[in-house]
Amino acid sequence: MRPDINAVEAIVRDVAATEIMPRFGTLKAHEIRVKTHAADFVTDADIHAELQLTRRLTELLPGSVAVGEEAVHHDRAILDRLSDEAPVWVLDPVDGTGNFAHGRDSFGVIVALVYRHHTVLGLLHDPVRDITVMGEEGGGAWSGGGRLTVERPETLAELTGSLGNKTLRAVEGRVGGIIRLASACQDYMALLLGRSHFSFYRHLMPWDHAAGVLLHAEAGGYSAMIDGTPYRPVETDSGILLAPDRESWTQLRALVATSADPI
């Protein structure tokens, strides 16, 4: 049921090189549009990259279907595919579209393969820096031929992470620092590549989190929904907390559990 992950990587890299990077920093006004609110953008790069990823990945795995962010924006019922029997490619063609649209280089491509509510493959690609993190369930998380392991600082005060403004007030003075990347892809890559140690999200869409949660676990990290239950790609609310290990997760949860800030 699982395709060759190297073939998936090759498709993602090719689509990024042909549909995304030629448009980075060159978008015209009519190639950038607003979706649900003033800070929610879609560009021609999102649309064309998602179309290519959908076609090529479903061809790579016959019988599979796709759930892409832009397709769901036009038809919410597409999310129901996550509850069907077919393997599902979950796609965020340009994660961090606001950054991309404004010429900022904090964006990336997210691809996950979900089967029966379970993520079995994940890939994060930063086309600006040419960095890919990928992995399969049970096979570890890898980048550039090296296996990844999350960093484990000894104390809460040494942890750096990502969370929202109201949550920030709950952890201020208790953790080492907060990063602001405005891209789930970049957040997860930071966790996996040792640039940060924790993330907390309340707004959960599968294209933002399915791949990253799997890869974080494969790199030895600990995550759970804020009520302690395991994450599933069909979750769209509540909240998820990712940390280096269960001990630091428990300490962070005590700080952020009452926060109402969505990120």
Side-chain angles (χ1 to χ4, degrees), residues 223-243:
S223 69
M225 303 298 285
I226 205 67
D227 64 1
T229 58
Y231 167 79
R232 298 190 310 157
V234 292
E235 303 285 355
T236 58
D237 50 24
S238 186
I240 186 169
L241 176 63
L242 301 102

Side-chain angles (χ1 to χ4, degrees), residues 3-72:
D4 179 357
I5 195 168
N6 294 308
V8 176
E9 180 190 17
I11 289 170
V12 171
R13 284 179 170 273
D14 186 58
V15 171
T18 57
E19 301 292 351
I20 298 173
M21 290 308 294
R23 294 181 167 94
F24 180 49
T26 67
L27 289 167
K28 307 295 189 296
H30 69 274
E31 296 173 316
I32 306 171
R33 292 168 292 283
V34 171
K35 293 194 292 186
T36 58
H37 55 79
D40 185 16
F41 296 97
V42 62
T43 73
D44 281 9
D46 298 78
I47 294 167
H48 290 283
E50 183 169 301
L51 289 172
Q52 289 297 320
L53 289 170
T54 297
R55 179 183 64 80
R56 294 178 64 176
L57 290 172
T58 54
E59 287 177 354
L60 180 67
L61 182 61
S64 64
V65 297
V67 170
E69 178 180 9
E70 306 314 326
V72 171

Side-chain angles (χ1 to χ4, degrees), residues 88-92 110-114 119-123 206 209-212:
V88 184
W89 294 102
V90 182
L91 311 174
D92 195 338
I110 307 178
V111 171
L113 182 62
V114 173
T119 310
V120 297
L121 179 153
L123 184 147
H209 302 288

Side-chain angles (χ1 to χ4, degrees), residues 101-149:
H102 290 94
R104 299 188 290 266
D105 64 7
S106 184
F107 61 89
V109 185
I110 307 178
V111 171
L113 182 62
V114 173
Y115 183 60
R116 295 181 176 176
H117 296 178
H118 198 64
T119 310
V120 297
L121 179 153
L123 184 147
L124 310 170
H125 179 56
D126 179 338
V128 174
R129 298 163 188 83
D130 194 26
I131 299 172
T132 303
V133 176
M134 60 186 186
E136 298 178 80
E137 183 185 30
W142 299 79
S143 183
R147 188 161 185 166
L148 302 176
T149 303

